[in-house]
Amino acid sequence: MRLLHTSDWHLGRTFHGASLLNEQRQVLQAMIDLVREHRVDAVLVAGDIYDRALPHVDAVRLFNWALGQLRATGARIVLSSGNHDSAARLGFAAELLDAADVHVVTDLQRMVQPVVLSATDHQVAIYGVPYLEPRTVMEELEVEEPSHQAVVAAALERVQSAHNDLCAKAAAPVHSVVLAHLFAAGGMGCDSERALSTGNLDVVSAGLFAGFDYAALGHLHGKQRLQEHVRYSGSPLAYSFSEARHRKSVLLVETDAIGVAGVEELELPVPRALAVLRGQLEQLLADPDLGWAEQAWCQVTLTDAQRPAEAMTRLRERFPDTLVLAFAPEGAETEAQPSYAQRLARAKSTAEVCADFVEHVRERPVDEDEAHIIDDVLKRVREGRVSA
């Protein structure tokens, strides 16, 4: 059997205000062509189909088109919800879609109902684990700790139990494949991902997937291998300049009677390159080696000692799609400031998250009085004197 592992389509996302719908359609078309070329039996999409819970109508149309084209290749489709998706909206009419071999998993009941593929000498059971918000599902999963580790462990125990029951009734070997949308320990994030929680409470152990033949993970946008059969496919497009050097791909997983026979990376095209440029304005405008960046989306950091007049206007004369402009004068004795995403990842308390958000929006730190206000509001919320 051949399975195509992908995730994090984020349909409807913009890139610093620029629409990505055309680029997303191009890369999905390339994915569809790969499914047809490699005679894929099932396409696995591990969450974050949309970029937001209430997607724009154009994003819904693009998803509808992609599903139709993928089914036209003959491949079955299994997808689960991510933290950007609305599980209720994505899961609408899931039972009806089953009849079209499009299997949408957004709740705990469907999680233990596998999609079973049959070959001559083995079967593959595919289980989708949707994104699990701990406080929302901890009661149903009968766990006491509101952590991602606890709820994912409990969910996977239920999946493993269901798979054991399936194997007991099967005449041929049944291999297990699980989709999951989460942050597994050892994974490397980037700037375009939304933090699931603060203080590393979102991290789960990759060892939780030890009982499965393959874990098709989503959430992290860079492709990576945590263990031989525990992998992130990454997003099909770059969604931040921190991904400028990523090589986007999908993973082709092949099974045989023994188990997973191999995993192959299939590279996807880059509809629009990303350029991260740094230097003095006149040097960037004159450098012949930067011709390739004239058609790219650009992030530019100018190092001129004095801020050049009309810098953005002049840059866009050569690099028309310059989206981000920063200044870092050479020799200036200033410490490099962490990005908002970096500060958020390092935050240890809710108060720090609130303070970083205020600083990010206003471009100045909170003062002592404002810090006291934040602490007071949070205290009132914890004591139940105001609603969160």
Side-chain angles (χ1 to χ4, degrees):
M1 307 296 296
R2 289 182 173 179
L3 316 174
L4 194 83
H5 170 197
T6 178
S7 72
D8 297 275
W9 291 1
H10 289 278
L11 301 182
R13 189 159 188 154
T14 60
F15 191 82
H16 294 275
S19 173
L20 287 173
L21 282 173
N22 287 335
E23 286 74 13
Q24 289 177 329
R25 187 181 183 96
Q26 289 178 53
V27 80
L28 286 174
Q29 181 62 65
M31 193 182 302
I32 293 161
D33 294 341
L34 288 173
V35 170
R36 183 176 290 109
E37 175 187 350
H38 291 274
R39 301 187 302 279
V40 169
D41 296 289
V43 176
L44 316 180
V45 191
D48 281 355
I49 285 81
Y50 293 120
D51 189 57
R52 54 183 180 176
L54 189 59
H56 190 276
V57 63
D58 289 336
V60 177
R61 287 173 179 156
L62 181 57
F63 183 43
N64 181 63
W65 169 82
L67 288 181
Q69 294 296 307
L70 286 170
R71 279 297 297 127
T73 68
R76 302 171 76 176
I77 302 168
V78 185
L79 58 92
S80 57
S81 52
N83 59 300
H84 279 250
D85 299 311
S86 164
R89 292 187 179 94
L90 188 63
F92 171 75
E95 289 79 8
L96 295 177
L97 288 173
D98 284 339
D101 269 335
V102 177
H103 307 280
V104 184
V105 184
T106 63
D107 58 53
L108 297 177
Q109 289 69 45
R110 290 178 65 83
M111 179 184 72
V112 294
Q113 301 169 11
V115 176
V116 181
L117 310 179
S118 296
T120 55
D121 55 358
H122 70 285
Q123 293 181 313
V124 177
I126 303 169
Y127 301 85
V129 177
Y131 168 69
L132 303 173
E133 179 60 40
R135 293 190 181 278
T136 303
V137 299
M138 58 183 295
E139 182 176 352
E140 188 173 356
L141 287 172
E142 300 178 336
V143 299
E144 297 182 357
E145 180 185 354
S147 70
H148 288 265
Q149 173 78 12
V151 298
V152 171
L156 291 178
E157 284 180 8
R158 292 192 179 189
V159 171
Q160 189 65 68
S161 177
H163 187 67
N164 291 341
D165 291 342
L166 179 64
C167 291
K169 302 172 185 176
V174 185
H175 307 318
S176 56
V177 173
V178 60
L179 287 71
H181 193 89
L182 43 75
F183 197 135
M188 297 293 293
C190 57
D191 290 347
S192 60
E193 298 145 5
R194 179 187 298 167
L196 302 179
S197 68
T198 60
N200 289 330
L201 295 178
D202 55 345
V203 178
V204 306
S205 170
L208 293 178
F209 300 98
F212 299 94
D213 291 280
Y214 185 82
L217 303 185
H219 179 58
L220 300 184
H221 290 181
K223 65 183 178 185
Q224 44 204 297
R225 179 177 62 185
L226 304 185
Q227 298 173 9
E228 183 58 32
H229 295 153
V230 181
R231 303 198 185 204
Y232 284 98
S233 65
S235 60
L237 278 177
Y239 290 122
S240 70
F241 281 107
S242 67
E243 300 166 64
R245 297 192 177 188
H246 286 193
R247 293 294 176 265
K248 299 300 186 179
S249 65
V250 290
L251 300 177
L252 183 66
V253 182
E254 190 158 0
T255 66
D256 59 18
I258 304 300
V260 174
V263 181
E264 180 183 359
E265 293 183 6
L266 304 178
E267 284 203 7
L268 295 170
V270 181
R272 180 79 73 97
L274 302 184
V276 179
L277 309 179
R278 184 184 182 90
Q280 296 183 1
L281 178 60
E282 298 301 334
Q283 294 173 341
L284 295 176
L285 294 178
D287 190 343
D289 292 334
L290 295 181
W292 66 274
E294 294 172 3
Q295 305 301 318
W297 276 319
C298 298
Q299 173 185 283
V300 181
T301 301
L302 295 180
T303 60
D304 301 76
Q306 300 294 325
R307 181 175 300 206
E310 299 182 339
M312 181 63 91
T313 300
R314 296 188 62 197
L315 280 168
R316 284 180 171 171
E317 289 176 356
R318 184 180 186 191
F319 309 109
D321 290 312
T322 299
L323 302 180
V324 179
L325 175 59
F327 296 92
E330 288 180 346
E333 296 181 0
T334 57
E335 294 185 8
Q337 296 298 314
S339 69
Y340 173 58
Q342 290 170 330
R343 296 199 307 273
L344 185 63
R346 295 203 299 258
K348 302 248 186 343
S349 69
T350 305
E352 287 182 352
V353 173
C354 294
D356 278 340
F357 175 75
V358 173
E359 179 178 346
H360 176 67
V361 171
R362 298 187 313 183
E363 299 183 348
R364 72 166 179 82
V366 298
D367 57 31
E368 186 175 349
D369 290 338
E370 291 166 337
H372 285 314
I373 292 173
I374 291 174
D375 288 339
D376 182 61
V377 170
L378 293 175
K379 180 180 180 182
R380 288 170 179 266
V381 171
R382 286 193 293 268
E383 293 175 351
R385 287 187 281 162
V386 295
S387 57

